[in-house]
Amino acid sequence: SVCFLGVCGGEFSILRSPQSVVFRDGSWPIPGERIPDIAALTMGFSVEEDLPWPGLAVGDLFHRPRATVLVTVKGVDKLPVKGFSYPIENAVPFSLDSVANAIHTLFSEETPVVLQLAPSEERVYMVGKANAVFEDLSVTLRQLRNRLFQDNSILSSLPLNSLSRNNEVDLLFLSELQVLRDIASLLSRHKHLAKDHSPDLYSLELSGLEEVGKRYGEDSQQFKDASQILVDSLQKFADEMFNLYGGNAVVEVVAVKEFNSPLSRKTRSILQASQSEKENPYNLAYPYNYNYSVIFNIVLWMMIGLALAVIVISYNLWNMDPGYDSIIYRMTNQKIRMD
């Protein structure tokens, strides 16, 4: 465990998951840059590189979850949530854009729900049916503040303890919890979205707890109360989303103190970009596509099946006895049939 202290900077937790997705109990570290691949594999999508991580087992391939919910909490290394938890190795910033693109490519006609939201940074990305369902969702800081002081906000139900409704940092933290409750509330009004055949994706980034730690300190009572309130809200949010999708959703939480900058970046200069546009002087082949083997097998066995079908049909037509066909020779006379 001492060896992991320098490289592990967070925790990846599974709050709820269906029986078709099997996670194993253990302390296997997961690379931070492979978290999107875990989300893709649990939804049944393929990834470009194999993931040799023993925490995810092979589940039911014919029953994939209808939704994946990933909540990223900044400002804390771990949260005492219920479920399987794994340490994160090399916690670098990640994005679920690849998973969203796979959903758009495979289910473009069904317009699934794709919602990516970071309330504190006012970053929002809604595509598909999310544009109509979550159009009333508070996304800007002004909207979040006004939402908190409405009658049905969480201020009237949450025990604030040492937190204050007059402090901007506390209001930012509470507004993110309000977003979680509003998402579940809006989805409960449109339950038909959770019953369609297209998978949905929810990616939320919460940094209010980090601001509370910077404002009061991590040893303060405000930070402890905020952490407990966040854990309870995440657990309730996970249960609500899991139940709305009929027990067929994966709810994951990534807790990270702070993201590490990548060790190496692949950059290209302007000169290199201009040279790459020229014609290849060495006549190299195009890059290998990982879907090539799948397409090749589909085309190969389809052509073999069609060829065998043509051979069998041609053989039977060539050796067919006309005497058994009573429809063609029914109206002919006896002399023609004898000839």
Side-chain angles (χ1 to χ4, degrees):
S1 60
V2 177
C3 296
F4 289 133
L5 291 179
V7 295
C8 294
E11 193 174 57
F12 177 70
S13 303
I14 310 298
L15 271 63
R16 301 298 297 266
S17 63
Q19 296 181 355
S20 59
V21 180
V22 180
F23 286 95
R24 297 173 178 172
D25 189 8
S27 58
W28 302 287
I30 175 68
E33 65 274 7
R34 302 305 302 272
I35 292 178
D37 292 340
I38 296 178
L41 291 174
T42 55
M43 300 186 74
F45 301 142
S46 59
V47 295
E48 295 185 2
E49 299 180 5
D50 294 335
L51 181 62
W53 184 59
L56 180 62
V58 178
D60 191 352
L61 301 178
F62 299 99
H63 296 85
R64 294 287 87 189
R66 292 201 298 263
T68 294
V69 183
L70 178 60
V71 182
T72 303
V73 179
K74 299 171 61 178
V76 62
D77 288 332
K78 59 176 61 178
L79 291 171
V81 294
K82 300 178 182 178
F84 298 113
S85 297
Y86 310 94
I88 298 178
E89 181 181 1
N90 188 22
V92 296
F94 62 89
S95 173
L96 297 184
D97 292 341
S98 59
V99 183
N101 293 333
I103 294 176
H104 290 315
T105 302
L106 298 175
F107 301 92
S108 58
E109 298 181 356
E110 301 182 16
T111 60
V113 176
V114 176
L115 174 63
Q116 300 182 22
L117 181 63
S120 61
E121 300 179 5
E122 297 186 358
R123 287 190 292 108
V124 59
Y125 177 74
M126 294 186 292
V127 180
K129 297 179 181 177
N131 290 327
V133 177
F134 301 104
E135 60 182 357
D136 297 331
L137 189 67
S138 301
V139 293
T140 64
L141 296 178
R142 182 183 297 273
Q143 292 175 349
L144 293 172
R145 181 181 177 86
N146 296 333
R147 178 68 182 89
L148 281 177
F149 292 97
Q150 295 179 2
D151 296 335
N152 56 347
S153 68
I154 61 175
L155 292 180
S156 59
S157 59
L158 280 182
L160 301 182
N161 297 331
S162 59
L163 299 179
S164 173
R165 63 177 65 192
N166 298 322
N167 193 299
E168 293 294 334
V169 175
D170 299 352
L171 291 178
L172 174 63
F173 168 74
L174 296 173
S175 64
E176 294 181 342
L177 303 184
Q178 183 66 55
V179 172
L180 296 181
R181 177 171 295 185
D182 290 342
I183 290 175
S185 177
L186 290 173
L187 188 61
S188 63
R189 302 175 191 172
H190 303 81
K191 294 183 179 180
H192 63 281
L193 298 179
K195 298 180 181 180
D196 56 7
H197 299 287
S198 59
D200 301 333
L201 178 65
Y202 302 86
S203 176
L204 310 173
E205 183 176 330
L206 309 180
S207 59
L209 185 62
E210 181 182 18
E211 298 299 327
V212 172
K214 293 179 180 179
R215 174 66 175 82
Y216 301 104
E218 297 182 2
D219 296 331
S220 63
Q221 187 63 35
Q222 289 85 349
F223 185 80
K224 295 179 181 178
D225 292 340
S227 300
Q228 185 60 42
I229 294 174
L230 178 61
V231 170
D232 296 339
S233 299
L234 287 176
Q235 203 71 51
K236 182 178 180 181
F237 176 70
D239 295 339
E240 290 178 351
M241 297 296 289
F242 188 77
N243 294 329
L244 285 173
Y245 280 92
N248 197 11
V250 180
V251 184
E252 305 164 339
V253 173
V254 174
V256 59
K257 181 71 175 179
E258 60 181 1
F259 287 111
N260 302 325
S261 57
L263 299 178
S264 61
R265 292 180 179 268
K266 296 181 180 180
T267 59
R268 294 184 359 175
S269 63
I270 300 178
L271 179 60
Q272 182 181 0
S274 62
Q275 291 178 353
S276 62
E277 296 177 357
K278 298 180 181 179
E279 185 179 359
N280 188 5
Y282 301 104
N283 194 22
L284 299 179
Y286 57 87
Y288 177 77
N289 189 353
Y290 68 97
N291 287 326
Y292 174 79
S293 59
V294 178
I295 299 176
F296 177 79
N297 277 275
I298 293 176
V299 175
L300 174 64
W301 295 108
M302 184 178 294
M303 295 301 297
I304 292 176
L306 291 176
L308 293 176
V310 170
I311 293 174
V312 172
I313 294 173
S314 301
Y315 176 81
N316 286 276
L317 289 175
W318 185 265
N319 296 277
M320 184 174 60
D321 188 0
Y324 290 106
D325 196 343
S326 59
I327 298 177
I328 298 177
Y329 300 97
R330 181 178 298 174
M331 304 304 296
T332 57
N333 54 25
Q334 184 68 22
K335 182 177 182 301
I336 297 178
R337 279 190 287 181
M338 293 179 60
D339 293 340

